[in-house]
Amino acid sequence: MGKRAKGRSRQDFFPLNAAEETILEAAAVGGVAVISQTRPEEMSDSNTVRATFLRFLALGGDDEAPVHEQGLQVQGAWITGTLDLSNAEITGALMLLKCRFDQILTLFDAQIRGLFSLKESQVPGLFADRLTCHSGLFLKDGFLTAGEIRLLGATIGGDLTCTGGTFENPSGRAFTADGIKVGGSVFMNDGFNAQGEVRLHSATIGLNLHCSGGKFENPNGRAITADGVKVGGFVVMGNGFMAQGEVRLPSATIGGNWACDGGIFVNPKGRAISADRVKIGASVFMRNGFSAQGEIRLIDAIIGSGVDYSSGTLENPEGRAVFADRMNVGGYIFMQDGFKARGEIRLSGVTIGGNLECDGGIFENQGKVAIRADGMKIGGNVFARHGFSALGEVRLINATIGGDFDCSLGSFYSQNSFAINFQGIHIYGVLLGRSVKISQGAVALASAHVGRLIDDLRSWPENIVLDGFVYGAFSGEASTAAKDRLAWLDKQSLEHSGKAKNPREFRPQPWQQLRKVLRDMGHLEDARQVAIAFENRKRFCGVIGEISEPAPIIRRFLGGKVITFSSPKPVTKWRRLESRTARGFHWLYGAVIGYGYRPARLFWIVVLVWAFSSLLFDIGGHSRVFGPTDPQIFENSAYDPCNPEKNPRANWTRCQAFPRAYPAFYPPLYALDVLLPVGKLGQEDHWAPLAPERALTAKNWLLAWATQFAVWIDMMFGWIAGLLLIATVSGLAKRQDD
């Protein structure tokens, strides 16, 4: 036999102690060398084994000390010195069970073709960078280390099992496995305890990462660092899992679910979970007792199925409980059934393929924003019903919802201006808000678009913002009565509703939108009532109509040049009523014809004026205050019997001496002739009230003046009525296209 390197021959270890003899005998037959049934607490002659002797056997021994292909298996030994297997190739298993090491193990670039197990052993540390273990690596069931376990760039063919292990290095890293590749699963569960940072940065795990029941403690830093980790299956951090310190999974890839049900994440002054850009093939579960103290970050995350926070508790009252801008979720987000968050839930720019369900959820961020989801895109519905409570502003500015938004029986309270801020939101389905309680704060729906609206008046608070709010119809039990809908419009601020007499702040669009919707739904009378109320409010506020002005010319300084351009759309402004005369005419237009919406009213007013005038003219005819308009009749003595000035009993309108060709006096026709602004019936051309100075008595003098005034008023009224009729006809034609 040729010479061997030092430490590779049995003779280098003479004499062997009893424990080493036992190990030598067991190694030859492939059995377990049992030095003690338990891990030794003290070193003794009977349990001491030199680390160099174990290395000799692990490398295969020699001809005088052969090692079975089962490998080296030792239980209950106290191992002294450094077990250095760096660059070694171990053809069998290396199982050092319930052993205690007084020096750090080193296995840099080592290769182990069998199982490597330190089950129930205690080590001061393990350095095994680039270790290759074709089977599994067990650091479990009572394994204890008071220093760092380092597996940088290691490759594990099977499972990395740390179940029930204790890893203590509170001032540094307890477990470092950056870049590790594990063919099976990683188990850090069921009694696993790490004091210090656990690092799996850029690790690749073929199957699953199990952390249920594990405790990761690094309260002043990172509890778990798994940036860029790739897990082929699922990740479990629930059912007794607890992390004190930040849990990091940014840019991680998880093929299945990330399940944190019942997990506890504590980092109150920072981020409890940081998983920006994480990619998850299935769902995220943070339900059923899940608790996080600190921020949960999921910015730009991609989640294949859904995110479920049901019954979870999130605590970050001084900041954001969830920060998930631009997250893309293929299915749903649930924050319901006892979910509670203290701190802002931020979902700006999030895309959700299915529903956002918050029924029964409690969101608290007093004096600030409770839910911020500006620009969110939801393919399904949003539910905030049945016990939903928001203490803080709920913002969905410019959000898009493919289905319905239902907040019936929800509760909102905000010390900000708005309890609900839906400015620019687009809801393709129904906005349903019945029996909603808004204790404080307004509702903003400026420039919002809703397919249909189902509401009740008592659910709307004061100072709502409706300018630009567009909705297709009222549905369900929503009232379409003009009285109720006008009361709804009056819940706007005094300035926006026009009650403050500030034409610059008056918002006409909500009135026009309401009128259009009622008309399109077939509620024509209610639409007319709204239109009339709108005109009355405009006059009260001090405006009478809109006028278009050319778009303003805008100049910008760009690249050393002045660029001049204008908007293609004209600017719409409201013309003020500057004089009492204008207000008076506007009032008259409304009183006589209802601003064109009550054309029948003009007819009945005309009939009333005609009837009154006919009666007055009939009395005048009997009282001799009417006479012929032809002066030749007065000069012709043949008609003296008809002239009251010459015959006290005569009456021009009852005279039988008139030629047959002269039209008789008929008061109704005369009244109609005076009222008609165009066209003649022949009465006004042949008859007229006599001058008051020709009256024979004082009574006739007063009647003559009254009749004359009535003629003048009728003529003026006839012209006004005619103009109003023309305006009405043209106006009605236009309104049909509004």
Side-chain angles (χ1 to χ4, degrees):
M1 182 179 68
K3 285 188 175 183
R4 291 175 175 266
K6 186 177 181 179
R8 296 295 305 276
S9 173
R10 178 181 176 182
Q11 295 179 355
D12 295 336
F13 300 98
F14 282 147
L16 301 179
N17 61 33
E20 292 172 342
E21 289 286 357
T22 301
I23 295 172
L24 185 62
E25 294 175 2
V29 297
V32 179
V34 180
I35 309 302
S36 172
Q37 295 295 332
T38 61
R39 185 171 65 203
E41 296 297 328
E42 295 181 355
M43 184 174 62
S44 67
D45 293 340
S46 62
N47 64 17
T48 302
V49 177
R50 289 168 288 178
T52 52
F53 179 68
L54 290 180
R55 180 180 184 277
F56 162 67
L57 294 178
L59 294 177
D62 61 7
D63 292 341
E64 295 181 4
V67 178
H68 194 273
E69 58 270 16
Q70 290 291 337
L72 182 62
Q73 304 176 64
V74 179
Q75 176 181 309
W78 185 294
I79 301 171
T80 62
T82 300
L83 180 59
D84 187 353
L85 293 170
S86 298
N87 299 301
E89 183 174 351
I90 301 171
T91 58
L94 181 60
M95 301 176 64
L96 305 173
L97 315 176
K98 299 183 181 180
C99 295
R100 186 162 184 167
F101 296 77
D102 61 8
Q103 298 291 327
I104 294 174
L105 286 75
T106 57
L107 289 90
F108 294 116
D109 298 294
Q111 290 197 44
I112 303 175
R113 297 193 177 277
L115 176 67
F116 181 24
S117 176
L118 294 172
K119 178 181 176 182
E120 297 185 70
S121 294
Q122 180 177 343
V123 303
L126 170 64
F127 290 169
D129 297 357
R130 298 173 300 281
L131 167 70
T132 299
C133 183
H134 294 271
S135 184
L137 173 58
F138 291 170
L139 306 172
K140 65 174 186 174
D141 297 341
F143 171 84
L144 174 63
T145 178
E148 181 179 2
I149 301 297
R150 208 169 82 181
L151 297 167
L152 295 174
T155 300
I156 310 297
D159 296 334
L160 171 58
T161 304
C162 304
T163 302
T166 300
F167 301 76
E168 297 181 355
N169 192 23
S171 60
R173 296 172 180 172
F175 191 98
T176 304
D178 295 359
I180 193 173
K181 296 179 180 178
V182 180
S185 298
V186 174
F187 295 93
M188 295 180 174
N189 60 336
D190 296 339
F192 172 91
N193 191 330
Q195 296 182 23
E197 181 180 359
V198 174
R199 289 181 60 92
L200 293 167
H201 195 293
S202 301
T204 300
I205 302 172
L207 295 177
N208 308 313
L209 173 58
H210 294 267
C211 300
S212 294
K215 293 184 179 181
F216 301 76
E217 300 179 32
N218 193 24
N220 297 319
R222 299 171 177 175
I224 300 176
T225 299
D227 301 28
V229 68
K230 296 180 180 178
V231 181
F234 52 79
V235 174
V236 182
M237 295 179 177
N239 299 323
F241 170 92
M242 186 182 74
Q244 291 186 350
E246 181 179 358
V247 175
R248 291 181 53 85
L249 287 90
S251 301
T253 301
I254 301 172
N257 295 326
W258 180 14
C260 303
D261 289 355
I264 298 174
F265 297 74
V266 180
N267 194 24
K269 296 183 179 180
R271 299 170 183 170
I273 298 175
S274 184
D276 296 350
R277 301 174 302 282
V278 69
K279 295 181 180 179
I280 299 174
S283 297
V284 176
F285 297 116
M286 297 180 177
R287 311 167 298 184
N288 304 330
F290 169 87
S291 174
Q293 296 182 30
E295 180 178 278
I296 297 177
R297 282 177 61 104
L298 292 164
I299 296 174
D300 292 310
I302 299 175
I303 300 170
S305 185
V307 181
D308 192 348
Y309 295 97
S310 299
S311 301
T313 300
L314 313 183
E315 296 273 348
N316 195 24
E318 301 301 322
R320 304 181 182 100
V322 173
F323 190 5
D325 287 6
R326 300 179 300 280
M327 179 172 64
N328 192 316
V329 181
Y332 55 84
I333 293 182
F334 293 161
M335 295 180 175
Q336 58 184 358
D337 299 335
F339 169 82
K340 184 175 182 179
R342 293 181 62 200
E344 179 180 337
I345 301 295
R346 178 161 173 155
L347 302 171
S348 297
V350 168
T351 300
I352 304 173
N355 294 339
L356 171 60
E357 301 190 16
C358 304
D359 290 353
I362 298 175
F363 301 77
E364 297 183 5
N365 199 21
Q366 190 168 1
K368 301 177 183 178
V369 178
I371 300 176
R372 187 190 303 269
D374 299 351
M376 173 184 276
K377 296 181 180 179
I378 301 174
N381 305 309
V382 177
F383 298 124
R385 312 166 297 182
H386 310 308
F388 170 90
S389 176
L391 184 61
E393 181 179 347
V394 176
R395 285 173 53 116
L396 279 82
I397 294 176
N398 295 324
T400 301
I401 301 173
D404 303 334
F405 187 100
D406 189 351
C407 57
S408 297
L409 298 173
S411 176
F412 300 81
Y413 176 94
S414 176
Q415 294 176 339
N416 295 352
S417 298
F418 301 116
I420 300 175
N421 193 341
F422 283 2
Q423 298 183 69
I425 196 172
H426 199 137
I427 302 174
Y428 286 90
V430 178
L431 173 58
L432 199 158
R434 295 185 61 82
S435 300
V436 179
K437 182 181 179 181
I438 302 179
S439 304
Q440 182 172 326
V443 176
L445 288 165
S447 302
H449 288 70
V450 173
R452 290 174 292 150
L453 181 62
I454 301 177
D455 66 345
D456 56 54
L457 186 61
R458 65 179 180 274
S459 293
W460 293 96
E462 299 298 325
N463 298 316
I464 58 177
V465 179
L466 299 175
D467 187 31
F469 180 36
V470 176
Y471 45 96
F474 297 107
S475 295
E477 298 180 4
S479 175
T480 57
K483 177 186 66 173
D484 295 335
R485 298 315 335 176
L486 290 173
W488 175 51
L489 295 184
D490 281 342
K491 284 181 174 284
Q492 299 177 92
S493 66
L494 296 178
E495 291 78 12
H496 285 191
S497 66
K499 289 185 174 181
K501 294 187 179 181
N502 186 348
R504 292 183 180 274
E505 295 297 327
F506 178 57
R507 299 294 186 264
Q509 187 274 340
W511 301 76
Q512 295 169 330
Q513 174 67 23
L514 176 58
R515 182 187 65 181
K516 178 181 181 300
V517 169
L518 292 175
R519 186 180 65 238
D520 291 346
M521 293 179 66
H523 300 286
L524 302 182
E525 176 56 27
D526 293 295
R528 282 191 288 266
Q529 291 181 34
V530 171
I532 292 170
F534 175 45
E535 294 294 333
N536 289 334
R537 186 61 54 84
K538 285 196 300 179
R539 184 179 69 255
F540 177 84
C541 181
V543 297
I544 57 174
E546 58 184 359
I547 57 175
S548 295
E549 296 181 355
I553 296 175
I554 304 173
R555 292 179 174 84
R556 293 285 186 269
F557 186 78
L558 184 63
K561 297 181 180 180
V562 176
I563 307 299
T564 302
F565 60 94
S566 62
S567 172
K569 294 184 178 181
V571 176
T572 299
K573 293 185 176 181
W574 287 90
R575 186 169 61 241
R576 297 187 63 181
L577 281 170
E578 299 290 353
S579 67
R580 292 183 179 180
T581 303
R583 290 176 182 268
F585 277 116
H586 190 260
W587 174 86
L588 182 63
Y589 182 46
V592 172
I593 205 168
Y595 307 105
Y597 296 98
R598 296 282 189 243
R601 183 186 296 175
L602 178 61
F603 170 78
W604 291 111
I605 291 175
V606 170
V607 169
L608 182 63
V609 172
W610 170 76
F612 178 78
S613 299
S614 297
L615 178 61
L616 181 61
F617 296 157
D618 185 60
I619 294 173
H622 282 86
S623 300
R624 299 179 292 177
V625 297
F626 276 95
T629 57
D630 188 351
Q632 295 182 2
I633 294 178
F634 288 91
E635 296 173 359
N636 192 335
S637 59
Y639 303 118
D640 287 347
C642 300
N643 190 344
E645 295 178 2
K646 297 180 179 180
N647 183 1
R649 295 174 175 263
N651 188 337
W652 288 109
T653 61
R654 301 292 185 267
C655 184
Q656 300 297 324
F658 268 31
R660 288 183 171 274
Y662 201 87
F665 177 74
Y666 295 107
L669 289 180
Y670 186 85
L672 186 60
D673 202 3
V674 172
L675 283 170
L676 290 176
V678 293
K680 294 298 178 181
L681 301 178
Q683 288 288 302
E684 192 179 5
D685 292 339
H686 293 85
W687 297 94
L690 297 174
E693 56 268 19
R694 291 191 175 190
L696 301 179
T697 64
K699 179 181 177 182
N700 283 11
W701 182 85
L702 290 173
L703 187 58
W705 274 112
T707 305
Q708 185 63 65
F709 275 119
V711 170
W712 293 338
I713 291 173
D714 283 357
M715 292 175 62
M716 201 161 38
F717 177 78
W719 278 103
I720 292 174
L723 293 174
L724 289 175
L725 181 62
I726 294 173
T728 299
V729 173
S730 61
L732 285 175
K734 179 181 178 181
R735 289 186 187 96
Q736 295 305 316
D737 299 328
D738 286 347

